[in-house]
Amino acid sequence: MQATPTTPDQLLASIQAQRALSLADAASHQRLAREAHTVQAAAGTTVAAPQAQHLHLHLVLDGEVMLEDADHDIRIHLRPGELFGYGTRASAKGSSWAAIASSAATLARWEPANVDQLLSDHPALAFFLGHRPAGQGSVPAAAAGTGGRAAAHADTATPGNGVNLMTTLVKSLIKREPITLSPADTIQHTAHTMREHRVSSVLLVEQGHLFGLITDRDLRNRVVAEGLDIQRPVSDIATLAPLTVDVSNPAFDAMLLMARHNIHHVPVMDGSRVAGMLTATDLTEQHSTSAVFLAGEIYKQTTLSGLQTVSAKVKQLQQNLAQAGASAYSTGHILTAITDAITVRLLQLGEAQLGPAPVDYVWVAAGSQARNEQTAKSDQDNCMVLDDAYDPAAHGEYFNNLARWVCDGLDACGYVHCPGEMMAMTDTWRQPRQRWAEYFDGWTNKPEPKALMLTCVFFDLRAIHGKTELLDSLRKEVAAKTKNNSIFLAYMVGNALKHQPPLGMFGNISVSRGGDHPGTVDLKHTGIVPIVDLARVYALAGGLEAVNTDDRLAASARCREVSPQSARDLRDALEFMASLRIAHQVRQTSQGQAADNHLSLDELSNFERAHLKDAFQVVKGLQAVLGQRYHAGRF
């Protein structure tokens, strides 16, 4: 292999035409052309050995290069216009990928410093070029080719900040020993302590146990604004039994906790011992926690129009997460946390208008919101479980008005009404707990087609607001009834197998031939939904409480409802297809188009097409296994 000259204009044209590099400006294109080394490789020549993938970024200019993973017997052919090496998925140290010229090939090659400069000038390129070798950077992992995606549960970090909130532990973000006081200390002494230590919060500890939390907002709102005697014990104004996070949890958990509950201070525990305090500012210094502050803005709104304005930022949030290389798993949790916040705020505003609820209730999310798997394009599925003290004559009008206010408000904020009317504003799905228990009994004992369809929606439930015990007790009862219920599970398997991956007779991807989106693949209904269905069956068979699909697969592997290897395959397939879906929607919204789930294969590199085909084959294979298990009657 030797360096060979090439026409500068031809090289520049190749750079400008490459889908990822084309996003850079003209000056960057010129610089890349100057910095590139042109290389010619004879057929069969190793361009980059497995341990050298991370040393350079390559662009195929002419000919073909084969990426070969000998450990897994995988071969991917890259054609002109595709990238590999430094900054791509196959570049990590310890990778088993080798790059071999499958025909005479000409390539452009750049040093790592050239790529670093490009990413510094154009952070959005981290979506395509993100992974750096261990110890050399922070941009999230991306797949090889022109449109790589972050690996499962990969970084939620902003390019260049060096932090992965999924793997960074909370304990690494603690900056100082906790500032603690006794609940009996006075309010004035507390304020003096906070000023002396220059902190915005202190923890109240009694005999080594966490008692409560005080923030500067408490002093402002509960003391100064109310004219309270500052010699009273600080416990009078404390937030008692505050929400906490453990030192061993990922920082991502703390971020979600803040976003979902509109809080900016979270005590950190090491078992029962108070280890410190984590604030939104601590996370801000490490990560773009726009989700936390977007949630905060939601809770400040007092009108529906205000909520509409804030909710319009969700699409931009998804774009930011994609540019930062956030995994689909992380993105789903973050975007769903915003939906949760909007829902809770609508309920709060509704209760402010209608008065307190006459009996206890819990507002429940169903479908993708319940599973924490929403994207910027999501409709609404929800219901209400009312206390059995509910009296239709006395309480019906109140809950009808509250549910309609929330559902219409969600629709106005971009979460369109469910086409099947599976919403709390529909009388059928706003019932006392006992009636819900009867619903589930009927669905499990008489699993007819409509019952199976309803099961797919309402067996994925998560409490959003209200008395959560109403749903928790119901879920436990249902889980006990579905576990080992062979007849019901057999029907569920048959229903799950109706959604088949789009693979043709010879195993190739089949695109739609008609309809509104010809020549595309419906990533949601033919790719993601089949995995969701499989995971739901595994969870019901095992009596598992997990709702998120990835979590269900992991839990199902632990209880041997599915083999650990099959669960890993399905989780990787889910992450890959969900990431493709998000990237597709980001491209659409950035171009002013309405987001959908219909992906043209022209949007993908050859590498991605091969992986998508592999993902479909994984799903189809495990559907066959489940079908055989059903026919054998061995649930």
Side-chain angles (χ1 to χ4, degrees), residues 57-395:
L57 174 67
H58 294 85
L59 168 63
V60 181
L61 300 175
D62 186 52
E64 288 191 3
V65 171
M66 178 178 67
L67 284 182
E68 181 180 41
D69 182 348
D71 289 350
H72 299 89
D73 194 26
I74 301 173
R75 294 172 179 83
I76 303 297
H77 289 276
L78 303 182
R79 296 174 180 174
E82 297 187 298
L83 300 169
F84 67 92
Y86 184 82
T88 63
R89 180 74 167 272
S91 67
K93 287 183 178 179
S95 167
S96 56
W97 290 97
I100 302 168
S102 51
S103 68
T106 303
L107 309 99
R109 186 180 70 193
W110 288 278
E111 300 292 332
N114 305 144
V115 184
D116 292 345
Q117 182 62 51
L118 180 66
L119 290 172
S120 177
D121 294 341
H122 302 282
L125 283 175
F127 181 64
F128 300 97
L129 293 170
H131 182 78
R132 305 183 188 204
Q136 292 192 28
S138 59
V139 187
T146 59
R149 306 296 183 266
H153 302 192
D155 298 8
T156 53
T158 302
N161 68 9
V163 170
N164 175 345
L165 293 187
M166 289 301 300
T167 58
T168 299
L169 299 183
V170 166
K171 64 181 178 182
S172 68
L173 300 181
I174 299 176
K175 297 180 177 179
R176 63 193 304 171
E177 289 295 315
I179 308 301
T180 63
L181 292 172
S182 165
D185 282 323
T186 66
I187 294 172
Q188 183 178 37
H189 177 65
T190 301
H192 284 163
T193 300
M194 292 170 67
R195 181 180 65 182
E196 177 185 352
H197 291 277
R198 297 182 179 181
V199 294
S200 59
S201 61
V202 294
L203 297 170
L204 303 184
V205 176
E206 183 79 347
Q207 296 181 349
H209 296 285
L210 179 64
F211 180 85
L213 167 68
I214 294 291
T215 69
D216 50 6
R217 182 177 296 183
D218 296 327
L219 294 175
R220 181 179 69 244
N221 295 343
R222 299 177 182 178
V223 180
V224 178
E226 299 296 329
L228 204 64
D229 182 0
I230 60 175
Q231 297 306 315
R232 292 177 62 171
V234 71
S235 58
D236 288 354
I237 63 166
T239 297
L240 305 180
L243 296 170
T244 64
V245 65
D246 193 80
V247 290
S248 61
N249 283 14
F252 178 71
D253 288 356
M255 186 192 75
L256 274 184
L257 191 69
M258 292 180 186
R260 285 198 170 125
H261 297 279
N262 190 31
I263 55 178
H264 290 75
H265 299 79
V266 176
V268 178
M269 306 298 293
D270 185 358
S272 61
R273 182 183 71 84
V274 177
M277 176 75 79
L278 194 65
T279 70
T281 302
D282 295 328
L283 286 173
T284 302
E285 293 174 359
Q286 307 293 337
H287 176 71
S288 177
T289 52
S290 55
V292 176
F293 295 101
L294 188 58
E297 287 300 305
I298 288 169
Y299 285 107
K300 293 177 183 177
Q301 304 308 311
T302 58
T303 64
L304 177 57
S305 61
L307 285 174
Q308 287 178 284
T309 300
V310 177
S311 66
K313 301 177 181 178
V314 172
K315 291 180 181 178
Q316 184 60 51
L317 174 60
Q318 178 168 290
Q319 290 182 350
N320 293 344
L321 291 168
Q323 291 173 354
S327 68
Y329 180 90
S330 302
T331 298
H333 278 74
I334 292 171
L335 295 181
T336 304
I338 299 303
T339 309
D340 291 354
I342 293 173
T343 303
V344 171
R345 190 54 181 155
L346 283 167
L347 284 163
Q348 292 172 341
L349 294 177
E351 290 185 15
Q353 295 175 16
L354 300 172
V359 297
D360 286 331
Y361 74 93
V362 59
W363 185 277
V364 180
S368 61
Q369 184 183 0
R371 297 192 302 270
N372 286 293
E373 294 169 6
Q374 287 194 306
T375 67
K377 174 183 170 54
S378 296
D379 57 8
Q380 55 176 294
D381 293 303
N382 46 61
C383 59
M384 292 181 80
V385 180
L386 309 173
D387 190 275
D388 285 333
Y390 170 76
D391 179 353
H395 311 140

Side-chain angles (χ1 to χ4, degrees), residues 410-422:
L410 287 170
D411 181 73
C413 290
Y415 305 94
V416 299
H417 286 138
C418 172
E421 298 187 347
M422 295 179 189

Side-chain angles (χ1 to χ4, degrees), residues 318 322 327-328 331-332 375 577-587:
Q318 178 168 290
S327 68
T331 298
T375 67
M577 287 191 282
S579 295
L580 288 181
R581 178 191 182 199
I582 290 171
H584 167 70
Q585 293 181 357
V586 166
R587 284 193 292 271

